[in-house]
Each structure stands twice: as C-alpha cells, then as structure tokens.
Amino acid sequence: VGVERVALTGDQVELHFQVRDSGIGMTSEQAAGLFRSFSQADSSTTRKYGGSGLGLAISRKLVGMMGGEMWVESVPGQGSTFHFHARLGVQVTPSVRQELYADDLNGLRVLVVDDNPVAREILVTIATEFGVDVDTASGGGQALVMIAEAAAAAGGHPYDVVLMDWKMPTMDGVEAIRRLQEYTAMTAFPAVIMVTAHGRDEALAVAAESGVRVNAVLTKPVTFSSLFDAVVEALGKGRVVDSRVHRKAERDNEALRRLHGARVLLVEDNDVNQELAEEILTQAGLQVVVAGHGQEALDILARDSRFDGVLMDCQMPVMDGYEAARAIRTQPELAGLPIIAMTANAMIGDREKVIDAGMIDHIAKPLHVAEMLATLAKWIRPAASSSDAARASAMSAEGGLSSTVTGLAASLLPPLPGIDAKVGLAAAMGNLPLYTRLLTMFRDGQGDFEARFLQASEQGDAAAQQRAAHTLKGLAGTLGARALETSAAALELACIDGAGRDRIVDLLRRTSVELDTVLAGLAVLTTREQAAFNVPASMDPEHLQTLIQRLRVLLADGDTEATEVIGEVLQLTGGASRSPGLQKVAHAIAAFDFDAALAALDALSE
C-alpha cells in the first residue's frame, strides 16, 4: 500500500493511493470489465468465496464523488496494482504531538479497582513499570472511600487516575463513577479510565446512558502499551509517538553497560537451556561458569565465591533451585550474593515461592534477551568494572534484531513441522548457527521423552514425571514449538494436580504426537542444508549457514559487500560448478542485479 502527494492548491491536496499485490493478475479483457456492477474478473471467485461484484463499482463511485478517478494495471501471473486519486482538505492548524515516555508518568498516584485479584495483580504489575504509586480496591464502595480520604487528607496526595473495572458485584464501575461525580466535597477529581473485557463502544454507551463521564476506556487483555496510551489520553497529556522505542533502546544499552564484566554462576541441568543462556550472557560481555544442578553449584561456591550473581533454574534433579538457594542463604559470606530464578513456571504464586527460597527476582522461560538482561542489570553489579561500552552497544544492536532479519534467517531452514522458526530465532538472537545447534540438541536429547516418562511412572516417581514434562515444555517454548509447549504444559499441570492415570495417559499420548511431529522435521535438519548447496561432507554446515544468512541480508539491502560473501560461499562449496543454482546467484551478483540474486538464492534454498 502506498500514497503520495500529486498536487497542493490552497487548502486542497490531491493524493495518489495504490494497492499492489503479487497474485494471479488479469488480462486486459478482464481488467476492462472489472469496474462494472455485478462483474468479476474470474466468475469462479463468486462461486468459491461469495460476493456479487459490487465492491469496485461502489469504490469507483465514491472516489469520483471525491474528485478523483480509479484504475487498475495488471499483468497475468505477476499481480495487479489498483490506483485512485482523491482530493482532500488540508488541516489549517497542524496538530501538536507531544512526545511522552513511561518515565514522564513518574509520581502519579493511581488506584486500581477490580474484584478479580488476578486482574488487579496484572494491572498493578504493568502500572508499576511506569514508576507510579499504585493502590488497589476490590470493589466500588471501597474505592469511593479511598478516593475521598486521599482527597481530604491534609497535605495529602489525591489520586490522579482511577482504573475502574466495569463488571463488579454489589456496585459496578458505572455506578461507582456516578457516585464519585456526585461527590461535591471533592476539589480534585481524578481522571477515570473504564476497564472492561467487553466492547469499548458498549462500555461508552452504558456510561452515557447513566450520565457518567469517563476519560478513556481500556479493554482487556491489558498490555503495557495500551495502559500507557489510556493514561496519557485520560490525563490529556497529548499523544504517544514511537520515540518510546528509542527510550527502550537507551535502557537496553544502559543495562548492557552495567552488566559488562560481571561473573555469574549459571545453574541449569538442561543442555539446550545451558547453551542458549551461556550464549546470551557471553555476548553481553559476562563471564559464565556453568553448574548442572544445585549441589554442583554449592560445590563450586565452596571452592570459589567470587561471583557477582547466580542464575538458578528451579526444576533440577539431585538438588532443585529452591533447596540450593536456601542452602546458599545459610552461609554468611554469601548473604549478599544476588540469586535470580529461571523457570518456565509463570503462575501468580511462583514469584512468592522464589522469594521465600531466598531468591530476589524471576526470569521467565522461554528466555527473552532484553527482559533477561534488564532483570540482571537491576540486581547484579560487576566487582571488576569495565568501560568497554562499545561491545555492549554492539550486543544491543544484535539483540534487537528485527522480524525481517529473523524472517530471512528462518527462510534458510528446511520446513520444520510444529515449529515457528521465527519465534525460536528471536530467542536465539537471530543467530542461525546457534538456533540450529539448539534444535539438534533438542532432537538428540528429547527423543526418548516418552520412555523416560513411562519409566518414572512405573517407578512411582511423580517428581521425575513432572520434571520431564516441565523440561519439555520449557524447551519447546524456547525453540518455537508452540503446540508441543501447550501439550507438555497440560501434562505437567496434570502431574502437579495428581490427576488420575487415564488423564495422564491421554495427555502423554497427545504430547508424544506433537513431539513426534517436531522430531520428524528435525531428523533431516542438517542433511537438507548440505544437499541444497551441495556442501562437501567435510565442511562445517553451520559456517555456511552463517554466510548464507549474511548474504541474504546484504542482497535485501542492496549492499555490494555481497560480492565478497558470495566469494567465500563459492570457496567453501568447491566452486559454482558444483551447484548450478549457486552459479546463477553468483552471476546475478556479478552483474549487480541483487533482486535477481536474492530470487535465485530463495529458489536454491527451497
């Protein structure tokens, strides 16, 4: 979709819009009759999808009423481009767009009103990220009392914003707001945001019928961005712009600078999670020592306590993370050592369990690079400071890979049933060789999952069953195997709840079906890459994948460095003569036809 200005005359502007597709296209005869009522270029469209052929005719009439025209350009087999011109009025006074950041809300006092404790917890957690002062009320009556007391207190700080849930028992949100607005003794009324799981229009209509004024409506599920936007709208502070992204990048860079040089103990029993976490931490400039379980971590700390922090997995054999953390806290010399939990459990009560064991924070799996490093930077202070900020900035740039780059990397992989490679690559920082390594480690390490689970069942070892399902769930989430993650999570929960044998067997069967699908795709992971580029058996396929990924990005950017990279690829694969497809890529690059080279590379990968 594109738009450009054609002409500007006084307070009128003529714009040219175009919508382009890469579909089947049309012949000139088909295009000629396209704008007639009850006409379609292909009559099978109506039979298959419905529709009467009026859409374009109506659109053309509307455009004509706006002083414009509409037409189409199309090539059979290549796609179509629809164009139209329209004359529009120009705004006399430019609108003022105020740049706002989450930090700009520091100091606000917010009251969250919701009868559901989980919903309150979510809103409080998100709002706290803004640096605001948050209180909670479980109903409309309690909220009215708290608001009145805050406003009447001498030298007090009245509430700036109230997040009022709509549907509550006894007194719903609309009634609570109505009574609040009738309270004449209050000199400073807070801005009110109606929170609802129902439609925005429905909430506004009910409020209007009751004579209630709301400053904004926030629909569930609530996100950081939607809550921020609603608060800004309610306070009339202006509109949010994309500069929040730049502020986030600044925070990420600051986190990396503060972490650089830190020495951490990574306690993790699973080799895939070890590999990923160690790669993330090492690229961020941290020194990493790995322990396979809690007892091994205690042994390491007994020999060497010079660590700046500990990353502790919670579910491990021999000694789990909770027991290990409690043991560390009994040693006075380690009293100040930050211990941060890493677990695939994300329930409301899990954070309390972590804190009770002596750990100070929680990093959720699957690991998210930016969130992981931000949490570490919050607690860990390197004993040996480093001024090498350049490497940290470089890591930040790599860690913030766009979906375009991860999409390009994912396209280098063969079809992987049951796996969303873009999700997995994002967790692996867009590093294709690392992601491929994690996939093969998963394949080799989880192929016997069902056998291990059944063996634990026969031995009556419920803890081992739960741990096996928990590990599979976490790994599947990290690699982007979403259906498998969901099945394994259901199996783990059934183990925790002590479900009956029939229920466990049924969930195990479903999980095994999903796992078999994933493993079948991973069985040919490396051989497909070697076959596609005719790679000599002695060559490292991971290095070739890295070069191909780099070449694809360079071609997409029109970067002439692609000429050097294709040379390396040819050298590694024994020359263009070994692969006609690769020869076509090389010839296109030599002619600086990067679009053709990228198309040839796509065809070769397929």
Side-chain angles (χ1 to χ4, degrees):
V1 178
V3 59
E4 61 182 349
R5 189 177 74 182
V6 177
L8 178 63
T9 307
D11 62 351
Q12 293 286 309
V13 64
E14 184 177 353
L15 299 180
H16 170 208
F17 294 84
Q18 58 177 319
V19 182
R20 184 175 66 252
D21 67 59
S22 55
I24 59 174
M26 294 176 287
T27 65
S28 57
E29 292 78 11
Q30 289 174 321
L34 201 58
F35 294 97
R36 290 198 297 267
S37 298
F38 306 108
S39 174
Q40 300 245 0
D42 183 352
S43 58
S44 66
T45 301
T46 298
R47 292 197 304 272
K48 187 173 182 181
Y49 300 107
S52 58
L54 281 171
L56 283 173
I58 294 171
S59 297
R60 192 178 213 179
K61 185 172 182 179
L62 288 172
V63 167
M65 294 167 66
M66 299 176 71
E69 58 178 330
M70 177 178 286
W71 72 98
V72 63
E73 297 171 349
S74 188
V75 177
Q78 296 183 21
S80 307
T81 304
F82 287 83
H83 303 265
F84 70 90
H85 283 201
R87 297 190 64 82
L88 304 167
V90 177
Q91 187 168 320
V92 178
T93 304
S95 60
V96 177
R97 290 175 58 86
Q98 181 180 358
E99 295 190 5
L100 292 172
Y101 305 101
D103 295 347
D104 296 324
L105 302 182
N106 281 345
L108 287 180
R109 193 174 184 196
V110 176
L111 177 63
V112 172
V113 188
D114 200 308
D115 63 301
N116 186 307
V118 176
R120 286 200 307 271
E121 175 77 14
I122 292 171
L123 284 170
V124 169
T125 300
I126 299 174
T128 303
E129 292 291 320
F130 303 150
V132 302
D133 182 12
V134 187
D135 292 327
T136 63
S138 59
Q142 182 186 3
L144 291 175
V145 173
M146 294 177 67
I147 294 169
E149 289 177 347
H157 184 182
Y159 290 107
D160 300 290
V161 178
V162 176
L163 298 171
M164 183 75 73
D165 187 42
W166 176 13
K167 299 288 189 179
M168 295 186 291
T170 309
M171 183 188 298
D172 66 15
V174 171
E175 177 62 16
I177 298 171
R178 188 187 65 78
R179 294 192 186 186
L180 174 64
Q181 291 174 349
E182 290 178 350
Y183 187 53
T184 56
M186 188 177 299
T187 57
F189 279 87
V192 179
I193 300 174
M194 180 77 80
V195 184
T196 176
H198 303 269
R200 173 188 176 89
D201 293 340
E202 184 182 355
L204 287 172
V206 172
E209 290 172 4
S210 303
V212 166
R213 302 184 310 276
V214 294
N215 300 88
V217 176
L218 179 63
T219 56
K220 299 176 182 179
V222 177
T223 65
F224 182 98
S225 178
S226 66
L227 177 57
F228 182 74
D229 292 350
V231 172
V232 170
E233 179 185 350
L235 294 174
K237 286 182 172 290
R239 296 192 58 187
V240 186
V241 295
D242 291 341
S243 50
R244 278 180 295 157
V245 175
H246 303 301
R247 177 67 64 90
K248 180 181 182 301
E250 292 172 8
R251 289 198 301 267
D252 292 346
N253 281 335
E254 178 60 26
L256 288 165
R257 282 190 288 269
R258 287 160 56 183
L259 281 172
H260 194 81
R263 186 168 185 257
V264 297
L265 177 61
L266 171 65
V267 190
E268 169 66 63
D269 66 303
N270 184 270
D271 54 355
V272 174
N273 287 331
Q274 279 184 6
E275 182 87 8
L276 178 58
E278 187 173 7
E279 184 81 16
I280 292 172
L281 297 172
T282 301
Q283 286 199 31
L286 285 77
Q287 302 173 46
V288 185
V289 176
V290 179
H293 51 74
Q295 184 58 57
E296 187 178 348
L298 293 177
D299 295 340
I300 292 173
L301 289 170
R303 298 191 304 267
D304 179 6
S305 62
R306 294 173 295 116
F307 287 94
D308 299 306
V310 178
L311 273 74
M312 184 76 74
D313 184 37
C314 292
Q315 301 283 342
M316 294 181 291
V318 185
M319 181 186 290
D320 66 23
Y322 302 113
E323 185 179 352
R326 284 191 288 266
I328 292 173
R329 287 294 174 243
T330 64
Q331 304 178 41
E333 66 276 14
L334 299 176
L337 181 64
I339 307 175
I340 300 169
M342 293 194 309
T343 176
N345 288 337
M347 298 297 188
I348 294 294
D350 291 321
R351 180 177 175 84
E352 285 70 23
K353 190 176 179 181
V354 163
I355 300 301
D356 290 343
M359 294 179 266
I360 58 175
D361 213 330
H362 171 263
I363 295 173
K365 297 178 184 176
L367 297 176
H368 183 281
V369 178
E371 293 176 2
M372 177 183 184
L373 296 177
T375 302
L376 295 179
K378 183 178 178 181
W379 302 106
I380 292 178
R381 296 293 179 269
S385 61
S386 171
S387 60
D388 188 5
R391 181 176 175 182
S393 297
M395 168 64 186
S396 177
E398 294 171 6
L401 288 172
S402 68
S403 60
T404 301
V405 174
T406 54
L408 290 171
S411 67
L412 290 173
L413 291 165
L416 298 176
I419 291 180
D420 186 336
K422 290 183 181 179
V423 172
L425 275 162
M429 303 169 292
N431 187 327
L432 183 59
L434 170 63
Y435 183 53
T436 305
R437 201 157 62 242
L438 297 177
L439 289 172
T440 54
M441 292 169 68
F442 175 85
R443 178 194 63 197
D444 298 339
Q446 293 298 312
D448 63 343
F449 165 77
E450 185 175 5
R452 286 187 286 109
F453 190 93
L454 290 173
Q455 181 180 7
S457 177
E458 292 169 1
Q459 296 172 350
D461 191 344
Q465 287 180 285
Q466 177 190 335
R467 189 166 57 247
H470 175 85
T471 299
L472 181 62
K473 175 191 72 174
L475 295 177
T478 297
L479 299 176
R482 290 172 163 173
L484 176 58
E485 178 188 16
T486 301
S487 297
L491 179 59
E492 179 195 15
L493 187 59
C495 293
I496 294 173
D497 292 342
R501 183 180 183 279
D502 291 345
R503 175 66 173 162
I504 296 288
V505 169
D506 179 55
L507 290 173
L508 176 61
R509 178 187 59 78
R510 297 183 190 184
T511 302
S512 297
V513 169
E514 297 292 347
L515 178 59
D516 288 345
T517 299
V518 171
L519 293 177
L522 296 179
V524 294
L525 184 62
T526 54
T527 55
R528 273 289 301 270
E529 272 72 58
Q530 289 183 323
F533 295 97
N534 204 1
V535 180
S538 60
M539 204 210 75
D540 179 7
E542 292 184 3
H543 183 43
L544 176 63
Q545 289 171 354
T546 302
L547 287 175
I548 294 298
Q549 178 187 2
R550 176 66 178 155
L551 179 60
R552 191 178 292 273
V553 173
L554 291 171
L555 291 174
D557 291 343
D559 195 323
T560 56
E561 189 184 338
T563 57
E564 300 175 11
V565 176
I566 189 63
E568 293 184 57
V569 172
L570 291 173
Q571 185 176 3
L572 283 171
T573 56
S577 60
R578 294 178 58 89
S579 170
L582 197 56
Q583 185 178 22
K584 188 175 181 179
V585 176
H587 285 169
I589 292 176
F592 295 98
D593 189 348
F594 292 158
D595 288 341
L598 187 57
L601 190 60
D602 287 339
L604 183 58
S605 297
E606 291 169 3

